[in-house]
Amino acid sequence: MSIEIENLTYTYMKKTPYEKDALKNVNLKIEEGSFVAIAGHTGSGKSTLMQHLNGLISPCSGTVKVDGVDINRGGKEKIKARHSVGMVFQYPETQLFEETVYADIAFGPKNFGLEPDAVDKRVKKAMSFVGLDYEQYRDASPFALSGGQMRRVAIAGIVALEPAYLVLDEPTAGLDPKAKHDLLENIRALYRKGNTTIIMVSHNMDDIIGLAGRIIVLHDGCVAADGMPQDIFKKNDILQAAGLRAPHLTQLLRQINEQAFPVRSDCLNKSDAADAVCAAYYGREKDAR
Amino acid sequence: MLDDMMLGQFFPADSVLHRMDARLKIMLLFIFIIAIFLCDSKTDYILLTLLNIILMTVSKIPFVMYLKAVKPMFWIVLFTFIMHIFSGEGTIIADLWIFSATWEGLTEGIFITLRLILLVLMASILTFTTSPLVLTDALESLLSPFKKIGVPAHELSMMMTIALRFIPTLITETDKIIKAQKSRGADFSSGNIIQRIKYIMPILIPLFVSAFRRADELALAMESRCYRGGQGRTRMKEMKFGRLDFFIAAIAVLIIAGMIVLKIKGI
Ligand SMILES: Nc1ncnc2c1ncn2[C@@H]1O[C@H](COP(=O)(O)OP(=O)(O)OP(=O)(O)O)[C@@H](O)[C@H]1O
Ligand SMILES: [Mg+2]
């Protein structure tokens, strides 16, 4: 079970002077149960690629298969396959429309034909997932919330669909540091639970580090790099060409490496890094003695 | 999905029509429209169609774009055409139940169809070759003589500029909201009318919310840059009537004069 993208090409405003190749011959396979980050500079085609995953955009050429079903061909199976991919858009709070938070989160599950009890359960679960108190917020108007809270309601609206694949397009854009941290923790917790494959778009490597097991770098509509975070962060030239930079942690370790003493620079979290620095530092002292 | 909208679209290129003064273009369009309505013979239509084709070629914009501009009118045009075929009186071509198609009706239908298409094509030539900003500036300039009798020329053109500026934004936004609601299982393409109307709300509400928010922000941004209406406002790009424009105006006057003479002589 996986999402398979083959020779995907997409052009916006085809046959007009504004023609723009947003994706050029992209080949990818996203395994079930993985946490994949898609990184790239603004305009590199990340959002375009995302929208192909549940058939919102049909490819100009190439195929997108979800669990073996081509989502742009065929009947009933196609719709089921599309439903197994949940999509959180960039700035999802702009899609809220219901009178209450509850009704808005319930919109998706209802459309998918769930019974009222099941919908109720889903809404409760989704709200606790994004850290909104059910009793306090269920009757609130989504338009009376703060931006960060609106974002959470919108994300809950997708999480309530319990998709097998959850796609998030820059979920942390425009959030304050705490809200950002909380949201990333929520996403991590959802992934840990184990039955959701997560595909997250971000151009901030600091958001991705420690979360994703694989990073795909998009540059100008092509896959520029694809691999484990440690390996990707090492490829400084590719990152730079794609308009990205390694996370702060990697940069710090690299600086220590260059200016002080040799230390491993492929650590993915703070405690690992601290251990590595200590080990390198004491190792050096021992050598000196 | 909404990519095909050609309304008010501008295509930058380097053609005589692009370089012309927009005020002249608007005036000529006006005259052309009047001419279309005065047309009543085969020669008239052939001449106007020829002129139209020449202008479309001169504009250096692919013909496909013009086709797209006409496409939304297809059903209206077809309807008028059929109406005319069956409503004329004269030599009968064929009988269908109580209706009968006539030669006169057919020619009339072709003329009316041509009229509609020519109108849209001419208007498209103007919008395709003139950036919206320049277009509204030109309108303001053309309307300014009427300021004395109380026509708010500047305000009108500012309103148009803002409206034109936000059409693409709103289209993009609508597209995004439709996609977002589709991903939540909203189904816009099946079901009966009532079900479909039900699914319009999830699009309309977010769209209105964001339109109001944008209006608010825009008003604030304009205020904080000391916008106080048109009085005493100067522009960065003054519109100038150049040599090219005089040249084209002269040609246009000649053509118009020629057509009037032809008309009077009764050809
Ligand atoms: N609706 C559209 N019409 C025309 N061109 C578009 C449209 N949407 C995107 N593009 C173009 O396609 C390219 C890729 O856009 P895309 O939205 O996928 O970028 P992105 O990687 O998501 O960028 P960002 O980080 O800013 O969200 C861009 O150059 C953009 O200008
Ligand atoms: Mg994007």
PDB file of all heavy atoms in Angstrom, chain B residues 231-257:
ATOM      1  N   GLN B 231      -8.567  64.665  -5.961  1.00  0.00           N
ATOM      2  CA  GLN B 231      -8.182  66.063  -6.082  1.00  0.00           C
ATOM      3  C   GLN B 231      -6.672  66.286  -5.939  1.00  0.00           C
ATOM      4  O   GLN B 231      -6.069  65.861  -4.970  1.00  0.00           O
ATOM      5  CB  GLN B 231      -8.910  66.896  -5.040  1.00  0.00           C
ATOM      6  CG  GLN B 231      -9.695  68.037  -5.665  1.00  0.00           C
ATOM      7  CD  GLN B 231     -10.984  68.261  -4.924  1.00  0.00           C
ATOM      8  OE1 GLN B 231     -10.998  68.165  -3.695  1.00  0.00           O
ATOM      9  NE2 GLN B 231     -12.057  68.552  -5.642  1.00  0.00           N
ATOM     10  N   GLY B 232      -6.108  66.952  -6.920  1.00  0.00           N
ATOM     11  CA  GLY B 232      -4.694  67.313  -6.848  1.00  0.00           C
ATOM     12  C   GLY B 232      -3.755  66.132  -6.973  1.00  0.00           C
ATOM     13  O   GLY B 232      -2.582  66.220  -6.666  1.00  0.00           O
ATOM     14  N   ARG B 233      -4.266  64.996  -7.419  1.00  0.00           N
ATOM     15  CA  ARG B 233      -3.440  63.810  -7.537  1.00  0.00           C
ATOM     16  C   ARG B 233      -2.717  63.823  -8.879  1.00  0.00           C
ATOM     17  O   ARG B 233      -3.319  64.074  -9.913  1.00  0.00           O
ATOM     18  CB  ARG B 233      -4.350  62.591  -7.464  1.00  0.00           C
ATOM     19  CG  ARG B 233      -3.781  61.422  -6.768  1.00  0.00           C
ATOM     20  CD  ARG B 233      -4.901  60.405  -6.592  1.00  0.00           C
ATOM     21  NE  ARG B 233      -4.375  59.071  -6.836  1.00  0.00           N
ATOM     22  CZ  ARG B 233      -3.697  58.396  -5.923  1.00  0.00           C
ATOM     23  NH1 ARG B 233      -3.463  58.920  -4.745  1.00  0.00           N
ATOM     24  NH2 ARG B 233      -3.252  57.197  -6.190  1.00  0.00           N
ATOM     25  N   THR B 234      -1.428  63.564  -8.850  1.00  0.00           N
ATOM     26  CA  THR B 234      -0.691  63.482 -10.110  1.00  0.00           C
ATOM     27  C   THR B 234      -0.374  62.024 -10.390  1.00  0.00           C
ATOM     28  O   THR B 234      -0.551  61.176  -9.534  1.00  0.00           O
ATOM     29  CB  THR B 234       0.636  64.255 -10.018  1.00  0.00           C
ATOM     30  OG1 THR B 234       1.348  63.763  -8.889  1.00  0.00           O
ATOM     31  CG2 THR B 234       0.385  65.733  -9.874  1.00  0.00           C
ATOM     32  N   ARG B 235       0.090  61.718 -11.581  1.00  0.00           N
ATOM     33  CA  ARG B 235       0.398  60.317 -11.886  1.00  0.00           C
ATOM     34  C   ARG B 235       1.864  60.135 -12.238  1.00  0.00           C
ATOM     35  O   ARG B 235       2.535  61.056 -12.671  1.00  0.00           O
ATOM     36  CB  ARG B 235      -0.401  59.782 -13.069  1.00  0.00           C
ATOM     37  CG  ARG B 235      -1.532  60.565 -13.506  1.00  0.00           C
ATOM     38  CD  ARG B 235      -2.307  59.820 -14.570  1.00  0.00           C
ATOM     39  NE  ARG B 235      -3.712  60.045 -14.365  1.00  0.00           N
ATOM     40  CZ  ARG B 235      -4.455  59.303 -13.581  1.00  0.00           C
ATOM     41  NH1 ARG B 235      -3.931  58.266 -12.977  1.00  0.00           N
ATOM     42  NH2 ARG B 235      -5.721  59.569 -13.414  1.00  0.00           N
ATOM     43  N   MET B 236       2.286  58.903 -12.064  1.00  0.00           N
ATOM     44  CA  MET B 236       3.652  58.586 -12.433  1.00  0.00           C
ATOM     45  C   MET B 236       3.757  58.501 -13.950  1.00  0.00           C
ATOM     46  O   MET B 236       4.682  59.005 -14.555  1.00  0.00           O
ATOM     47  CB  MET B 236       4.069  57.260 -11.822  1.00  0.00           C
ATOM     48  CG  MET B 236       5.527  56.970 -11.979  1.00  0.00           C
ATOM     49  SD  MET B 236       6.039  55.674 -10.857  1.00  0.00           S
ATOM     50  CE  MET B 236       5.783  54.249 -11.876  1.00  0.00           C
ATOM     51  N   LYS B 237       2.752  57.861 -14.564  1.00  0.00           N
ATOM     52  CA  LYS B 237       2.787  57.732 -16.019  1.00  0.00           C
ATOM     53  C   LYS B 237       1.685  58.596 -16.615  1.00  0.00           C
ATOM     54  O   LYS B 237       0.513  58.229 -16.570  1.00  0.00           O
ATOM     55  CB  LYS B 237       2.581  56.274 -16.418  1.00  0.00           C
ATOM     56  CG  LYS B 237       3.813  55.445 -16.197  1.00  0.00           C
ATOM     57  CD  LYS B 237       3.653  54.085 -16.837  1.00  0.00           C
ATOM     58  CE  LYS B 237       4.876  53.240 -16.563  1.00  0.00           C
ATOM     59  NZ  LYS B 237       4.560  51.822 -16.452  1.00  0.00           N
ATOM     60  N   GLU B 238       2.069  59.750 -17.162  1.00  0.00           N
ATOM     61  CA  GLU B 238       1.085  60.600 -17.826  1.00  0.00           C
ATOM     62  C   GLU B 238       0.717  59.949 -19.153  1.00  0.00           C
ATOM     63  O   GLU B 238       1.569  59.372 -19.829  1.00  0.00           O
ATOM     64  CB  GLU B 238       1.696  61.979 -18.087  1.00  0.00           C
ATOM     65  CG  GLU B 238       1.926  62.811 -16.838  1.00  0.00           C
ATOM     66  CD  GLU B 238       0.630  63.369 -16.261  1.00  0.00           C
ATOM     67  OE1 GLU B 238      -0.373  63.386 -17.002  1.00  0.00           O
ATOM     68  OE2 GLU B 238       0.640  63.769 -15.089  1.00  0.00           O
ATOM     69  N   MET B 239      -0.558  60.060 -19.506  1.00  0.00           N
ATOM     70  CA  MET B 239      -0.939  59.538 -20.813  1.00  0.00           C
ATOM     71  C   MET B 239      -0.639  60.577 -21.880  1.00  0.00           C
ATOM     72  O   MET B 239      -0.971  61.751 -21.711  1.00  0.00           O
ATOM     73  CB  MET B 239      -2.415  59.179 -20.814  1.00  0.00           C
ATOM     74  CG  MET B 239      -2.655  57.792 -20.254  1.00  0.00           C
ATOM     75  SD  MET B 239      -4.346  57.326 -20.410  1.00  0.00           S
ATOM     76  CE  MET B 239      -5.031  58.283 -19.096  1.00  0.00           C
ATOM     77  N   LYS B 240       0.022  60.139 -22.920  1.00  0.00           N
ATOM     78  CA  LYS B 240       0.381  61.101 -23.973  1.00  0.00           C
ATOM     79  C   LYS B 240      -0.150  60.625 -25.314  1.00  0.00           C
ATOM     80  O   LYS B 240      -0.081  59.452 -25.641  1.00  0.00           O
ATOM     81  CB  LYS B 240       1.898  61.263 -24.040  1.00  0.00           C
ATOM     82  CG  LYS B 240       2.379  62.424 -23.194  1.00  0.00           C
ATOM     83  CD  LYS B 240       3.764  62.832 -23.617  1.00  0.00           C
ATOM     84  CE  LYS B 240       4.795  62.377 -22.719  1.00  0.00           C
ATOM     85  NZ  LYS B 240       5.687  61.616 -22.370  1.00  0.00           N
ATOM     86  N   PHE B 241      -0.657  61.577 -26.062  1.00  0.00           N
ATOM     87  CA  PHE B 241      -1.099  61.274 -27.410  1.00  0.00           C
ATOM     88  C   PHE B 241       0.110  61.436 -28.322  1.00  0.00           C
ATOM     89  O   PHE B 241       0.513  62.550 -28.624  1.00  0.00           O
ATOM     90  CB  PHE B 241      -2.212  62.251 -27.788  1.00  0.00           C
ATOM     91  CG  PHE B 241      -3.380  61.587 -28.429  1.00  0.00           C
ATOM     92  CD1 PHE B 241      -4.212  60.771 -27.680  1.00  0.00           C
ATOM     93  CD2 PHE B 241      -3.652  61.766 -29.761  1.00  0.00           C
ATOM     94  CE1 PHE B 241      -5.294  60.159 -28.262  1.00  0.00           C
ATOM     95  CE2 PHE B 241      -4.734  61.153 -30.357  1.00  0.00           C
ATOM     96  CZ  PHE B 241      -5.562  60.353 -29.601  1.00  0.00           C
ATOM     97  N   GLY B 242       0.704  60.336 -28.770  1.00  0.00           N
ATOM     98  CA  GLY B 242       1.954  60.433 -29.518  1.00  0.00           C
ATOM     99  C   GLY B 242       1.740  60.431 -31.029  1.00  0.00           C
ATOM    100  O   GLY B 242       0.606  60.511 -31.510  1.00  0.00           O
ATOM    101  N   ARG B 243       2.845  60.296 -31.755  1.00  0.00           N
ATOM    102  CA  ARG B 243       2.752  60.317 -33.221  1.00  0.00           C
ATOM    103  C   ARG B 243       1.960  59.136 -33.734  1.00  0.00           C
ATOM    104  O   ARG B 243       1.118  59.258 -34.609  1.00  0.00           O
ATOM    105  CB  ARG B 243       4.156  60.318 -33.821  1.00  0.00           C
ATOM    106  CG  ARG B 243       4.634  61.714 -34.014  1.00  0.00           C
ATOM    107  CD  ARG B 243       5.940  61.860 -34.763  1.00  0.00           C
ATOM    108  NE  ARG B 243       6.237  60.928 -35.820  1.00  0.00           N
ATOM    109  CZ  ARG B 243       7.486  60.592 -36.135  1.00  0.00           C
ATOM    110  NH1 ARG B 243       8.498  61.085 -35.447  1.00  0.00           N
ATOM    111  NH2 ARG B 243       7.721  59.777 -37.126  1.00  0.00           N
ATOM    112  N   LEU B 244       2.253  57.981 -33.135  1.00  0.00           N
ATOM    113  CA  LEU B 244       1.552  56.761 -33.531  1.00  0.00           C
ATOM    114  C   LEU B 244       0.041  56.961 -33.424  1.00  0.00           C
ATOM    115  O   LEU B 244      -0.721  56.567 -34.306  1.00  0.00           O
ATOM    116  CB  LEU B 244       2.010  55.612 -32.630  1.00  0.00           C
ATOM    117  CG  LEU B 244       1.277  54.293 -32.824  1.00  0.00           C
ATOM    118  CD1 LEU B 244       1.789  53.604 -34.066  1.00  0.00           C
ATOM    119  CD2 LEU B 244       1.440  53.403 -31.604  1.00  0.00           C
ATOM    120  N   ASP B 245      -0.369  57.593 -32.316  1.00  0.00           N
ATOM    121  CA  ASP B 245      -1.798  57.754 -32.078  1.00  0.00           C
ATOM    122  C   ASP B 245      -2.435  58.674 -33.103  1.00  0.00           C
ATOM    123  O   ASP B 245      -3.526  58.405 -33.594  1.00  0.00           O
ATOM    124  CB  ASP B 245      -2.037  58.275 -30.666  1.00  0.00           C
ATOM    125  CG  ASP B 245      -1.491  57.307 -29.645  1.00  0.00           C
ATOM    126  OD1 ASP B 245      -1.937  56.157 -29.656  1.00  0.00           O
ATOM    127  OD2 ASP B 245      -0.608  57.694 -28.873  1.00  0.00           O
ATOM    128  N   PHE B 246      -1.724  59.769 -33.432  1.00  0.00           N
ATOM    129  CA  PHE B 246      -2.265  60.673 -34.449  1.00  0.00           C
ATOM    130  C   PHE B 246      -2.393  59.948 -35.779  1.00  0.00           C
ATOM    131  O   PHE B 246      -3.386  60.084 -36.489  1.00  0.00           O
ATOM    132  CB  PHE B 246      -1.375  61.910 -34.598  1.00  0.00           C
ATOM    133  CG  PHE B 246      -1.610  62.895 -33.484  1.00  0.00           C
ATOM    134  CD1 PHE B 246      -0.629  63.184 -32.562  1.00  0.00           C
ATOM    135  CD2 PHE B 246      -2.850  63.521 -33.361  1.00  0.00           C
ATOM    136  CE1 PHE B 246      -0.867  64.071 -31.538  1.00  0.00           C
ATOM    137  CE2 PHE B 246      -3.089  64.423 -32.339  1.00  0.00           C
ATOM    138  CZ  PHE B 246      -2.090  64.694 -31.416  1.00  0.00           C
ATOM    139  N   PHE B 247      -1.368  59.154 -36.076  1.00  0.00           N
ATOM    140  CA  PHE B 247      -1.359  58.398 -37.313  1.00  0.00           C
ATOM    141  C   PHE B 247      -2.579  57.477 -37.378  1.00  0.00           C
ATOM    142  O   PHE B 247      -3.350  57.474 -38.344  1.00  0.00           O
ATOM    143  CB  PHE B 247      -0.053  57.606 -37.381  1.00  0.00           C
ATOM    144  CG  PHE B 247       0.114  56.805 -38.632  1.00  0.00           C
ATOM    145  CD1 PHE B 247       0.217  57.422 -39.871  1.00  0.00           C
ATOM    146  CD2 PHE B 247       0.165  55.415 -38.562  1.00  0.00           C
ATOM    147  CE1 PHE B 247       0.370  56.683 -41.014  1.00  0.00           C
ATOM    148  CE2 PHE B 247       0.315  54.674 -39.703  1.00  0.00           C
ATOM    149  CZ  PHE B 247       0.435  55.294 -40.929  1.00  0.00           C
ATOM    150  N   ILE B 248      -2.756  56.686 -36.292  1.00  0.00           N
ATOM    151  CA  ILE B 248      -3.873  55.744 -36.276  1.00  0.00           C
ATOM    152  C   ILE B 248      -5.205  56.478 -36.314  1.00  0.00           C
ATOM    153  O   ILE B 248      -6.131  56.073 -37.032  1.00  0.00           O
ATOM    154  CB  ILE B 248      -3.786  54.836 -35.040  1.00  0.00           C
ATOM    155  CG1 ILE B 248      -2.591  53.911 -35.211  1.00  0.00           C
ATOM    156  CG2 ILE B 248      -5.066  54.026 -34.868  1.00  0.00           C
ATOM    157  CD1 ILE B 248      -2.284  53.097 -34.004  1.00  0.00           C
ATOM    158  N   ALA B 249      -5.285  57.587 -35.576  1.00  0.00           N
ATOM    159  CA  ALA B 249      -6.526  58.358 -35.568  1.00  0.00           C
ATOM    160  C   ALA B 249      -6.844  58.828 -36.988  1.00  0.00           C
ATOM    161  O   ALA B 249      -8.001  58.761 -37.419  1.00  0.00           O
ATOM    162  CB  ALA B 249      -6.388  59.551 -34.628  1.00  0.00           C
ATOM    163  N   ALA B 250      -5.790  59.246 -37.711  1.00  0.00           N
ATOM    164  CA  ALA B 250      -6.005  59.712 -39.080  1.00  0.00           C
ATOM    165  C   ALA B 250      -6.553  58.574 -39.942  1.00  0.00           C
ATOM    166  O   ALA B 250      -7.547  58.742 -40.668  1.00  0.00           O
ATOM    167  CB  ALA B 250      -4.700  60.227 -39.673  1.00  0.00           C
ATOM    168  N   ILE B 251      -5.929  57.392 -39.833  1.00  0.00           N
ATOM    169  CA  ILE B 251      -6.421  56.239 -40.608  1.00  0.00           C
ATOM    170  C   ILE B 251      -7.879  55.956 -40.259  1.00  0.00           C
ATOM    171  O   ILE B 251      -8.723  55.773 -41.138  1.00  0.00           O
ATOM    172  CB  ILE B 251      -5.579  54.980 -40.312  1.00  0.00           C
ATOM    173  CG1 ILE B 251      -4.151  55.189 -40.780  1.00  0.00           C
ATOM    174  CG2 ILE B 251      -6.184  53.765 -41.001  1.00  0.00           C
ATOM    175  CD1 ILE B 251      -3.272  53.990 -40.536  1.00  0.00           C
ATOM    176  N   ALA B 252      -8.163  55.974 -38.957  1.00  0.00           N
ATOM    177  CA  ALA B 252      -9.523  55.663 -38.514  1.00  0.00           C
ATOM    178  C   ALA B 252     -10.501  56.663 -39.099  1.00  0.00           C
ATOM    179  O   ALA B 252     -11.570  56.277 -39.592  1.00  0.00           O
ATOM    180  CB  ALA B 252      -9.583  55.674 -36.991  1.00  0.00           C
ATOM    181  N   VAL B 253     -10.138  57.949 -39.068  1.00  0.00           N
ATOM    182  CA  VAL B 253     -11.034  58.974 -39.615  1.00  0.00           C
ATOM    183  C   VAL B 253     -11.283  58.703 -41.098  1.00  0.00           C
ATOM    184  O   VAL B 253     -12.429  58.766 -41.570  1.00  0.00           O
ATOM    185  CB  VAL B 253     -10.436  60.384 -39.411  1.00  0.00           C
ATOM    186  CG1 VAL B 253     -11.220  61.408 -40.225  1.00  0.00           C
ATOM    187  CG2 VAL B 253     -10.470  60.748 -37.946  1.00  0.00           C
ATOM    188  N   LEU B 254     -10.212  58.339 -41.804  1.00  0.00           N
ATOM    189  CA  LEU B 254     -10.364  58.043 -43.234  1.00  0.00           C
ATOM    190  C   LEU B 254     -11.335  56.888 -43.446  1.00  0.00           C
ATOM    191  O   LEU B 254     -12.247  56.966 -44.272  1.00  0.00           O
ATOM    192  CB  LEU B 254      -9.001  57.693 -43.843  1.00  0.00           C
ATOM    193  CG  LEU B 254      -8.138  58.895 -44.231  1.00  0.00           C
ATOM    194  CD1 LEU B 254      -6.821  58.430 -44.846  1.00  0.00           C
ATOM    195  CD2 LEU B 254      -8.907  59.775 -45.222  1.00  0.00           C
ATOM    196  N   ILE B 255     -11.114  55.801 -42.683  1.00  0.00           N
ATOM    197  CA  ILE B 255     -11.990  54.629 -42.836  1.00  0.00           C
ATOM    198  C   ILE B 255     -13.442  55.010 -42.560  1.00  0.00           C
ATOM    199  O   ILE B 255     -14.356  54.677 -43.319  1.00  0.00           O
ATOM    200  CB  ILE B 255     -11.557  53.493 -41.885  1.00  0.00           C
ATOM    201  CG1 ILE B 255     -10.179  52.977 -42.288  1.00  0.00           C
ATOM    202  CG2 ILE B 255     -12.580  52.355 -41.910  1.00  0.00           C
ATOM    203  CD1 ILE B 255      -9.668  51.872 -41.398  1.00  0.00           C
ATOM    204  N   ILE B 256     -13.623  55.754 -41.444  1.00  0.00           N
ATOM    205  CA  ILE B 256     -14.990  56.110 -41.066  1.00  0.00           C
ATOM    206  C   ILE B 256     -15.626  56.979 -42.152  1.00  0.00           C
ATOM    207  O   ILE B 256     -16.765  56.741 -42.576  1.00  0.00           O
ATOM    208  CB  ILE B 256     -14.997  56.843 -39.714  1.00  0.00           C
ATOM    209  CG1 ILE B 256     -14.513  55.884 -38.608  1.00  0.00           C
ATOM    210  CG2 ILE B 256     -16.393  57.344 -39.376  1.00  0.00           C
ATOM    211  CD1 ILE B 256     -14.117  56.575 -37.345  1.00  0.00           C
ATOM    212  N   ALA B 257     -14.849  57.954 -42.608  1.00  0.00           N
ATOM    213  CA  ALA B 257     -15.378  58.836 -43.653  1.00  0.00           C
ATOM    214  C   ALA B 257     -15.769  58.019 -44.873  1.00  0.00           C
ATOM    215  O   ALA B 257     -16.863  58.188 -45.436  1.00  0.00           O
ATOM    216  CB  ALA B 257     -14.335  59.888 -44.022  1.00  0.00           C
TER     217      ALA B 257
END
